[in-house]
Amino acid sequence: MFNRNHPDRALAAFVFIIAAAARMIYIYSVWDSPSVQYVMGDAQAYHERAVEILAGDRLGNRAFYQDPLYPYFLGIVYRLFGHHYTVVFVIQSLLGAATCVLTAWVAQRTFSHHRHANKIAWGAGIAAALATPLIYYAGLIIKTTLGLFLSMLHLWALQRSGD
């Protein structure tokens, strides 16, 4: 039986492994693609702002037209690991996998009154793990993976705060 205070760890482990594997396989399969090797458009703007942040320009001298958090995230990754897109994609893949686990946990808690809460949670987690747009975004210099992770973390925390 599902205990509201203890999410299913087997569910979490399975969903995380499936999600991380799907993202890593995708990144490996498209590694020679220009969309992965070169940053353009929004990705270029995020990269340039992250480099400016690393150079000490924390606030910038002009309006940044994108969401401001992602360049700081990139800046931290660049500071810790260098300017390697591979590392960014691996970290985003892990964040994406964690997002899938959070999705399953939120579904499990949301439907805890339902007799099939565990099945619903497993379905939600696996669906998120294998959702092609979520897999695709993990391999790009773009804010989507970080934004989804933080949104699901927030939703999960809100559910937990009700205890």
Side-chain angles (χ1 to χ4, degrees), residues 61-122:
N61 57 3
R62 66 188 191 291
F64 186 68
Y65 66 95
Q66 295 285 4
D67 293 339
L69 181 61
Y70 190 70
Y72 289 94
F73 165 78
L74 280 180
I76 291 168
V77 172
Y78 291 169
R79 169 79 63 201
L80 295 173
F81 303 104
H83 295 212
H84 304 291
Y85 299 138
T86 308
V87 174
V88 174
F89 300 150
V90 168
I91 291 170
Q92 288 184 163
S93 293
L94 296 175
L95 286 175
T99 300
C100 298
V101 170
L102 290 168
T103 300
W105 284 351
V106 166
Q108 196 171 41
R109 185 174 279 262
T110 300
F111 294 99
S112 63
H113 64 283
H114 195 280
R115 67 185 182 112
H116 296 296
N118 285 339
K119 290 178 183 177
I120 293 168
W122 279 84

Side-chain angles (χ1 to χ4, degrees), residues 136-159:
Y136 172 74
Y137 289 133
L140 296 175
I141 302 293
I142 195 163
K143 66 185 177 186
T144 306
T145 299
L146 179 63
L148 286 172
F149 170 74
L150 293 174
S151 295
M152 286 308 299
L153 183 63
H154 183 238
L155 183 56
W156 176 78
L158 284 174
Q159 283 186 325

Side-chain angles (χ1 to χ4, degrees), residues 44-61:
Q44 182 66 31
Y46 285 127
H47 170 77
E48 288 173 359
R49 183 66 192 117
V51 170
E52 290 171 2
I53 291 166
L54 278 176
D57 185 10
R58 304 274 192 285
L59 297 177
N61 57 3

